[in-house]
Amino acid sequence: MILLAPTLVALVGLLPFVSCEKVGYFESTSCADPKGLASCYKLVDERYSTCINENCGGGGEACSKSCGGSVSCMNAKCPGLGIDCMNACAGEQSALQIDCAGAHCWNQVYSCEYQNTVLDFISVSTNPNRDGLPYWPVPDDAPGSCSCNIGKIDYKQSLILDQMTECSNNMTNIEKLTEVDDINDYGKACLCCAYSSIISSIWDTCPGTKPSLLSADEWFNSVLIPGDWDKCGPYLEAFDCAGDLGYDRADAGGNKKFWSPTSMPTNGTKTASNIAGYISSPVSGNTFTWTFGRTTNPLGQTTSPVLHTVTVSSVKAVVTDSKAQATSDSGSTATGTAASATASETKPGAGSSITVPSWTIIAIFVAVLFSGF
Ligand SMILES: *[C@@H]1O[C@H](CO)[C@@H](O)[C@H](O)[C@H]1NC(C)=O
Ligand SMILES: *[C@@H]1O[C@H](CO)[C@@H](O)[C@H](O)[C@H]1NC(C)=O
């Protein structure tokens, strides 16, 4: 059985709420260099408009304005512009926003806001190379980090999907099977174990957080339900997802718990917010680099990853506004500077707008390949 590698393209992205102090997802006053952040984002937005206007067909500017820059909106309202072109512009915009954040809000690089900023980039990228992304995923329980490590969820999910392909193509396993039915069952088991691991990546990484805030519904509606997750029980019992099918390997997401349709984990009830603590000096020094893209593209051709060099500003700024009381989802409390953090501005809802990309494209593969479940 050959499974095409799924292309991860997210179609849903919450537009950052716009208010006077809000810059992207950030409350700019909690950044080391609020003015710098605002002007950086402004330049990036201008560049994005120019990109659309110059490359993506006539009328781009009006459409982009009326849609507030949302690619999915523009694609629905003005399909003539070309989704690939707009995605390319949006990808550049998102990448540059990561630069802005790293330069002017370096004290927040573990926050929910930062993680959402990176997720936006991942969601508009085709075949993103996560290993080049700065502070991705963030370390667990870092000071001022998001109570739910959404970067880790994203990272695990990308490994699980790779493993889904690997498992389905594993000739060592397939050659041991002689009956056609056995081969079919093996293929279904590879999928069921992947679905089960995806559930674990959400529920077990952030057990306290409401799964609906972590794209659980998107996964169910676009992948698990069309993929007949509800019929997975017998396959999960008959096959060893962890060992034989490889899903517990670290490079396959390192999943330990395999939930089945009849034994689902309990839902968390909280929103996510930043835990106490703050970063008092730039995590990777005054200059850091990151790359996106890969050295080979999906067709095997050589490509050059784009190198971003970011110089942090206002290095001496000390921002102790952690606006955070929540304890981390992984159970332990933040250490280090956490105790002395002053939560001077507690803003309700800050950092609660988690958006994990939804992987609608996979649904198409699943629906096409496994309609005969
Ligand atoms: C738990 O969350 C999932 C995902 O949002 C939802 O589909 C399900 O109905 C919830 N279960 C309960 C018992 O609330
Ligand atoms: C195929 O499965 C076998 C047995 O589980 C495992 O040892 C091997 O590493 C797998 N091969 C690949 C390429 O994943």
Side-chain angles (χ1 to χ4, degrees):
M1 174 182 313
I2 306 296
L3 246 191
L4 298 172
T7 313
L8 311 184
V9 178
L11 303 176
V12 179
L14 262 195
L15 271 182
F17 173 69
V18 181
S19 81
C20 47
E21 293 182 39
K22 205 95 180 176
V23 176
Y25 291 106
F26 295 96
E27 201 64 54
S28 63
T29 47
S30 46
C31 293
D33 176 15
K35 282 197 183 128
L37 185 74
S39 53
C40 188
Y41 263 70
K42 193 158 169 277
L43 280 176
V44 170
D45 285 348
E46 285 164 14
R47 187 162 163 157
Y48 172 70
S49 297
T50 310
C51 178
I52 295 272
N53 291 336
E54 288 182 355
N55 303 298
C56 309
E61 188 167 19
C63 187
S64 163
K65 273 208 179 116
S66 78
C67 278
S70 156
V71 170
S72 52
C73 166
M74 284 194 275
N75 194 44
K77 284 199 173 163
C78 352
L81 292 183
I83 187 79
D84 291 340
C85 179
M86 289 189 289
N87 269 334
C89 292
E92 185 195 43
Q93 178 191 34
S94 276
L96 294 172
Q97 285 172 344
I98 293 175
D99 291 355
C100 292
H104 306 284
C105 206
W106 52 259
N107 58 320
Q108 294 268 328
V109 292
Y110 297 148
S111 65
C112 298
E113 291 79 359
Y114 176 78
Q115 296 190 38
N116 274 328
T117 306
V118 177
L119 280 179
D120 272 359
F121 173 67
I122 291 174
S123 75
V124 292
S125 305
T126 315
N127 193 21
N129 179 5
R130 288 167 176 76
D131 295 327
L133 295 172
Y135 318 113
W136 199 255
V138 309
D140 276 332
D141 301 328
S145 61
C146 195
S147 60
C148 169
N149 193 335
I150 46 180
K152 200 164 159 185
I153 296 180
D154 163 74
Y155 213 89
K156 278 188 190 171
Q157 290 177 345
S158 71
L159 295 174
I160 292 164
L161 292 173
D162 287 348
Q163 178 62 17
M164 185 168 103
T165 310
E166 193 112 305
C167 179
S168 307
N169 293 337
N170 187 321
M171 290 320 290
T172 319
N173 288 343
I174 293 170
E175 276 165 7
K176 285 189 212 143
L177 307 167
T178 47
E179 305 288 323
V180 171
D181 281 352
D182 291 346
I183 296 176
N184 282 340
D185 285 351
Y186 172 78
K188 286 169 189 166
C190 285
L191 283 177
C192 288
C193 294
Y195 300 158
S196 177
S197 305
I198 292 288
I199 288 170
S200 176
S201 73
I202 297 170
W203 270 262
D204 297 324
T205 308
C206 297
T209 308
K210 253 191 220 158
S212 59
L213 298 173
L214 305 171
S215 286
D217 298 333
E218 284 83 352
W219 273 108
F220 269 90
N221 293 333
S222 61
V223 179
L224 273 67
I225 293 173
D228 284 334
W229 159 249
D230 62 333
K231 296 186 190 138
C232 277
Y235 298 97
L236 293 166
E237 264 172 42
F239 288 82
D240 171 19
C241 294
D244 294 345
L245 270 51
Y247 283 88
D248 73 345
R249 286 200 328 267
D251 66 355
N255 194 43
K256 302 292 174 224
K257 281 192 198 152
F258 292 88
W259 302 99
S260 84
T262 48
S263 71
M264 282 288 287
T266 319
N267 288 352
T269 54
K270 298 201 203 85
T271 56
S273 56
N274 298 327
I275 64 171
Y278 57 90
I279 297 171
S280 54
S281 60
V283 177
S284 0
N286 292 0
T287 303
F288 68 92
T289 56
W290 65 282
T291 51
F292 75 93
R294 297 171 190 271
T295 46
T296 48
N297 68 14
L299 301 174
Q301 296 154 335
T302 306
T303 53
S304 328
V306 179
L307 178 73
H308 283 234
T309 302
V310 179
T311 304
V312 302
S313 68
S314 303
V315 179
K316 296 267 182 313
V318 177
V319 184
T320 58
D321 161 35
S322 68
K323 53 182 161 77
Q325 310 298 312
T327 47
S328 157
D329 231 341
S330 52
S332 45
T333 46
T335 50
T337 52
S340 62
T342 53
S344 51
E345 283 176 80
T346 305
K347 294 194 180 71
S352 60
S353 62
I354 306 285
T355 54
V356 175
S358 66
W359 326 79
T360 325
I361 293 293
I362 299 163
I364 297 164
F365 286 103
V366 172
V368 168
L369 291 167
F370 299 98
S371 45
F373 211 115

